[in-house]
Amino acid sequence: MSKEEKTEKRKRSLKKETAELKRIKQESASKEAKLNSSLFYAEEAEVDTRSPEKDVEIFKSTCSDIRETMLDIKARKDKKASHDELEAKRVSVLLDFMTLKKLNRLAHVRCKKVREQTNDAKQRIDHYHLQLQNLLYEIMHLEKEITKCLEFKSKDEEIELVTLDDFYKTAPADISRPDSTQADPHLQRLARLDWELEQRKQLAKKLKDSKQSKEGLAQEIKNKQEYLENLHPKLKTVLEATKPVQEYLDMPFDQIREEQETARHLPAALYVLYMQTSAYRQACDKDLQVSIIGELDEAKAIKSSGKVVEEDSDSDQEEQEHAKKSKRRRKTVDGRVQERKQKALKKHPLAVKLDINCKDGNSLHLTFNFLMTLEIITVNISLTLADSNTSSVSGSDLLAPESVLTDLYPGDHGKTSPNPANKYELKKLGLKDFTSYITEVGWPYLWAQWLGGLQFLENNASSNTPEEDVSFAHMQQTIRRLKQRVRSRLCLMKQTAAFETGNVVVDPEYQALFPSKVVSRLSTWKRSTYEDFSALPHTEALLTDEIVEESDIFFTAVIERGSAKMTAQVVMTHDYPKVAPIFVVSVLWQHERTALNDKHVKEMEEEVNVHHEELMKTKSCDTILSNQVQRLLMCFDIYLETEAAGSEEEGPMEISKEKIYNRMLRGPSRSKPYRYCPDIGIFTHR
């Protein structure tokens, strides 16, 4: 038999089998429909009599039988068994499927019944729970009523009666009745109440007499007040008529009176500052200008209220308040933080403005504000410069408000609040450190607190009450320091402007301290930073000893002579010129030389940094920077000339000798003659 015939025979066999299966399925479906209609209620009743565990075992065995029968059918097909045998197996499988369907229906019926039973149980539990809640509510209500009854107090218990001893001493015998009341507490209580009533009647009569007397006095005061009110316009007319006389005699009594009236509404600290500054101006410095600025009406409202409304920082209480005000729009977290910040940093509506006018036409403007919650004084700073002042690129920020008054007193950088309690108050309100808000409220310098009579101690105890003695003790010195700071910064800016053009201008008062000819020249002068300074290896010692701080002012100077170049790092404190600048140099000539590898460079730094007092005088020390730079140029000439003279190189010398000195080197240290003697015009050793 060919392959095509076998295939055709197999197809016919499959078609017969398929038709037979369809017929069996149709018969089974019709039978199942009949059974479903007739046995539906029978199966529901059957569920109660059958065991679920036994049904599970039947299900497992039926599935196992189907699996084995299917494997047997496959094996018989592979062996090409007869059609009758296969048909019998198919019928067996179909019967097993019928069994599975029945088990499935029974499972669904059983699940439905379990759900119904569960719902019934839930309803019973909910009913019992509701009954329990009702009982608990009744118990709670009864307990409240019992508590009310137990806590009930009669009105007479609230009356504070006189003691028994006083009662029997002061009360008349017809009220006290000691014979009967001492033995009976109830009668004693009634007698004491009768005596209290009698006393109150007497006091009421006295009160009535006092009110009548008060009304008479009030009428008398009212009459006098009306008289004074009628007198006020007449006095005002008299004062208006005297204004030309006041202006002619330069006695502005009206203006002074108005300012003093306004000063009454200042907070205590600003009031002390205003009065002490006005007194100092009148006695010592007519160039000072003191004035009060701000909103007078708001200040009057605050003073009349007698208190400052503070923010309640308790978040739980805040949430409760927001819940009570349900009609109000609920604020966001950022909104509440912003509101707390505004309350904590709120300034008093009035401020004191102090204008310090210098003789050279420059003015320093200070505005003193009082933070009502933190109870400190802050300062806002501005400058008005004369047209004759020289501008400088490297010194452009020397007169910046945030740095011009830094360290006016040692350690007073103005970046933290002087009141130790403020740190805890800001933390309680959920705000940042006070440093974050300086740009908004001003600088809380210590000297500003002193001028306002405030003094905060290191042991966290602070004097919240302004004292005039504290302001008086610091007023004159602070005004002098402020003027000196402005003058020294302007002089420093003038010097840096000259350095930027390569000129070192020495004051005629100091020219005799230097030789007439200095060959080295200043080629570059620019601003530097703390990061640039700390990156240099020869500055490590100054950083380790904390001589130089990050808040200092840094410059870089480049000095040249021929092919030799010297780079000087200049470090200045904010208290210049009281603290002289520090110079750290490195020389690039043939190779790099610093104080680490060349002791003569170290001697040159010592000459400039240690012996700077020779370049300062009591009355004029603002030019110390120019004098130090000039000395550094002079020492650089000596260094190069002595190095060139001591070298063994042949040919023409690049550095010629221009200075006169007795000995090129001296002593075991072989020091160079850096010291200049102006009397004889030569250089010697120290």
Side-chain angles (χ1 to χ4, degrees):
M1 186 180 290
S2 63
K3 186 175 182 181
E4 289 79 4
E5 291 177 352
K6 290 181 179 181
T7 303
E8 186 66 26
K9 186 177 180 181
R10 189 177 299 167
K11 287 181 179 180
R12 286 196 300 270
S13 176
L14 286 174
K15 286 181 180 180
K16 289 181 180 179
E17 292 175 358
T18 304
E20 186 66 22
L21 281 174
K22 286 182 178 180
R23 185 182 63 79
I24 294 172
K25 285 182 179 180
Q26 290 175 356
E27 293 178 355
S28 299
S30 61
K31 291 179 180 180
E32 184 178 358
K34 292 179 181 179
L35 288 173
N36 284 340
S37 60
S38 61
L39 300 179
F40 177 74
Y41 296 102
E43 288 181 348
E44 283 192 348
E46 187 179 356
V47 166
D48 298 332
T49 60
R50 295 176 65 97
S51 172
E53 292 80 5
K54 188 175 181 181
D55 288 347
V56 172
E57 293 177 358
I58 295 172
F59 173 77
K60 290 180 180 179
S61 63
T62 304
C63 291
S64 177
D65 293 342
I66 292 173
R67 193 180 299 110
E68 292 175 358
T69 305
M70 295 300 290
L71 292 174
D72 189 17
I73 291 172
K74 183 177 181 301
R76 288 176 181 275
K77 280 188 176 183
D78 293 339
K79 294 180 181 180
K80 299 180 181 179
S82 63
H83 179 72
D84 296 336
E85 294 178 356
L86 293 175
E87 184 65 23
K89 293 294 181 181
R90 289 191 190 97
V91 172
S92 177
V93 169
L94 290 175
L95 293 175
D96 290 337
F97 273 113
M98 295 297 292
T99 304
L100 290 179
K101 282 189 174 184
K102 181 176 181 179
L103 292 174
N104 184 39
R105 289 194 303 274
L106 293 174
H108 281 290
V109 172
R110 187 178 287 113
C111 182
K112 179 182 178 183
K113 287 192 173 184
V114 169
R115 285 198 185 99
E116 292 175 352
Q117 293 173 0
T118 303
N119 289 331
D120 294 340
K122 284 184 178 180
Q123 290 178 357
R124 288 195 303 273
I125 292 173
D126 291 341
H127 179 68
Y128 294 149
H129 183 71
L130 181 61
Q131 289 180 345
L132 176 61
Q133 293 297 323
N134 292 334
L135 291 174
L136 292 175
Y137 180 78
E138 290 180 5
I139 291 172
M140 182 178 65
H141 176 71
L142 293 174
E143 288 177 348
K144 287 183 178 179
E145 293 298 325
I146 293 170
T147 304
K148 286 181 181 179
C149 294
L150 293 175
E151 294 178 353
F152 175 78
K153 290 184 179 181
S154 178
K155 287 293 183 180
D156 66 290
E157 295 181 5
E158 300 176 0
I159 300 174
E160 186 177 355
L161 303 176
V162 297
T163 60
L164 288 174
D165 295 338
D166 293 340
F167 170 68
Y168 286 112
K169 285 180 182 179
T170 58
D174 58 338
I175 294 178
S176 61
R177 302 191 303 277
D179 298 335
S180 59
T181 56
Q182 288 182 352
D184 190 345
H186 179 64
L187 293 177
Q188 186 184 69
R189 181 73 178 178
L190 293 176
R192 292 177 68 186
L193 290 173
D194 290 339
W195 176 235
E196 181 70 21
L197 177 61
E198 186 66 25
Q199 284 184 316
R200 292 197 178 195
K201 286 180 179 180
Q202 296 174 4
L203 292 174
K205 184 179 179 181
K206 187 182 293 186
L207 176 63
K208 184 178 179 181
D209 296 339
S210 300
K211 284 184 177 180
Q212 291 176 355
S213 176
K214 178 184 175 183
E215 290 175 358
L217 293 174
Q219 185 63 35
E220 184 180 354
I221 293 171
K222 183 179 179 181
N223 296 333
K224 292 182 179 180
Q225 185 69 28
E226 291 176 356
Y227 173 77
L228 293 175
E229 289 177 356
N230 294 330
L231 183 63
H232 184 266
K234 297 179 181 180
L235 293 176
K236 188 174 181 181
T237 304
V238 173
L239 291 175
E240 289 289 338
T242 60
K243 277 190 176 180
V245 179
Q246 295 180 27
E247 294 175 359
Y248 180 77
L249 298 177
D250 193 18
M251 294 185 299
F253 294 122
D254 291 344
Q255 182 181 354
I256 294 174
R257 186 176 62 257
E258 291 175 0
E259 288 185 356
Q260 290 179 350
E261 180 66 25
T262 305
R264 291 174 52 195
H265 302 284
L266 286 171
L270 292 185
Y271 180 80
V272 170
L273 188 148
Y274 173 77
M275 297 304 295
Q276 290 294 326
T277 309
S278 299
Y280 178 79
R281 171 186 176 278
Q282 185 177 359
C284 303
D285 193 347
K286 300 295 183 181
D287 294 331
L288 284 180
Q289 298 294 331
V290 188
S291 59
I292 301 174
I293 59 176
E295 298 294 334
L296 181 59
D297 294 337
E298 294 183 14
K300 289 181 178 179
I302 290 177
K303 190 171 183 179
S304 62
S305 64
K307 61 180 180 179
V308 179
V309 180
E310 297 182 355
E311 174 73 9
D312 187 4
S313 62
D314 192 342
S315 59
D316 294 336
Q317 185 174 354
E318 188 176 76
E319 291 177 0
Q320 292 176 4
E321 291 176 356
H322 283 287
K324 292 178 181 178
K325 300 178 181 179
S326 57
K327 294 183 180 180
R328 186 177 177 181
R329 182 175 60 87
R330 187 177 297 276
K331 295 183 179 179
T332 62
V333 176
D334 294 339
R336 291 197 293 271
V337 171
Q338 185 67 20
E339 185 178 351
R340 288 199 297 268
K341 186 182 79 170
Q342 291 176 355
K343 290 292 181 67
L345 305 179
K346 185 178 181 180
K347 301 178 182 178
H348 193 274
L350 295 180
V352 176
K353 185 177 181 182
L354 178 62
D355 299 325
I356 302 176
N357 301 314
C358 302
K359 295 181 180 179
D360 52 5
N362 300 297
S363 299
L364 176 64
H365 309 289
L366 305 176
T367 303
F368 296 89
N369 294 286
F370 184 74
L371 303 186
M372 295 186 291
T373 301
L374 302 183
E375 296 183 349
I376 59 174
I377 297 176
T378 60
V379 188
N380 293 99
I381 306 161
S382 63
L383 283 164
T384 301
L385 303 180
D387 298 334
S388 58
N389 289 318
T390 306
S391 61
S392 170
V393 176
S394 60
S396 59
D397 62 338
L398 293 177
L399 295 176
E402 62 271 12
S403 62
V404 67
L405 298 183
T406 301
D407 291 335
L408 188 67
Y409 286 87
D412 188 10
H413 49 74
K415 294 182 179 179
T416 57
S417 173
N419 188 352
N422 292 164
K423 183 183 296 184
Y424 301 99
E425 292 174 353
L426 293 175
K427 184 178 180 181
K428 179 182 177 182
L429 295 173
L431 300 179
K432 300 178 182 177
D433 189 67
F434 185 81
T435 308
S436 306
Y437 309 110
I438 286 181
T439 55
E440 300 179 31
V441 299
W443 303 84
Y445 291 113
L446 275 174
W447 54 265
Q449 319 306 317
W450 296 339
L451 294 184
L454 299 176
Q455 193 168 15
F456 301 97
L457 307 180
E458 295 181 357
N459 60 356
N460 290 351
S462 60
S463 175
N464 291 329
T465 303
E467 299 178 3
E468 294 184 1
D469 293 341
V470 176
S471 178
F472 174 77
H474 295 87
M475 180 63 68
Q476 185 172 4
Q477 184 180 7
T478 302
I479 297 297
R480 288 180 179 177
R481 284 176 180 257
L482 290 170
K483 289 185 175 182
Q484 176 63 30
R485 174 60 63 87
V486 175
R487 184 168 57 251
S488 61
R489 286 296 174 92
L490 290 172
C491 185
L492 179 60
M493 184 180 291
K494 184 178 180 181
Q495 295 176 72
T496 56
F499 294 161
E500 291 169 1
T501 61
N503 297 323
V504 182
V505 181
V506 180
D507 193 90
E509 188 178 2
Y510 297 98
Q511 287 181 356
L513 300 177
F514 306 101
S516 58
K517 184 178 181 181
V518 177
V519 183
S520 300
R521 63 182 182 86
L522 178 63
S523 61
T524 305
W525 178 272
K526 61 181 181 180
R527 192 63 181 268
S528 182
T529 62
Y530 175 79
E531 289 73 17
D532 298 335
F533 182 85
S534 58
L536 300 174
H538 53 282
T539 63
E540 184 178 355
L542 295 176
L543 298 174
T544 303
D545 296 338
E546 297 182 355
I547 299 176
V548 176
E549 298 179 354
E550 189 174 356
S551 59
D552 292 338
I553 305 171
F554 298 87
F555 294 97
T556 300
V558 178
I559 300 173
E560 296 179 351
R561 179 177 177 181
S563 62
K565 180 187 291 186
M566 178 171 65
T567 303
Q569 304 295 329
V570 185
V571 184
M572 303 170 57
T573 64
H574 288 278
D575 203 16
Y576 172 89
K578 290 185 178 180
V579 179
I582 298 176
F583 287 74
V584 182
V585 302
S586 63
V587 179
L588 183 61
W589 186 47
Q590 299 173 355
H591 61 87
E592 186 175 5
R593 314 175 188 201
T594 64
L596 299 177
N597 57 14
D598 191 338
K599 61 183 178 180
H600 300 307
V601 174
K602 186 175 182 180
E603 292 173 358
M604 184 162 39
E605 290 180 353
E606 179 182 349
E607 183 69 23
V608 177
N609 295 329
V610 177
H611 304 289
H612 60 80
E613 293 182 358
E614 301 171 357
L615 308 176
M616 300 174 65
K617 294 185 179 180
T618 305
K619 294 184 178 180
S620 58
C621 58
D622 292 336
T623 59
I624 178 62
L625 178 61
S626 296
N627 297 341
Q628 284 182 293
V629 173
Q630 185 70 6
R631 174 171 280 187
L632 186 62
L633 294 173
M634 179 185 71
C635 293
F636 191 45
D637 281 347
I638 294 295
Y639 177 82
L640 294 177
E641 291 177 15
T642 54
E643 287 289 316
S647 65
E648 299 179 355
E649 295 182 0
E650 298 180 356
M653 297 178 60
E654 178 188 6
I655 307 297
S656 60
K657 182 179 179 182
E658 301 286 346
K659 308 295 184 296
I660 301 174
Y661 43 83
N662 290 333
R663 299 171 61 183
M664 186 169 62
L665 301 172
R666 188 187 72 174
S669 62
R670 314 303 292 165
S671 60
K672 294 183 181 295
Y674 287 126
R675 180 185 180 188
Y676 178 69
C677 297
D679 298 335
I680 55 179
I682 65 173
F683 288 84
T684 62
H685 298 80
R686 286 195 180 271

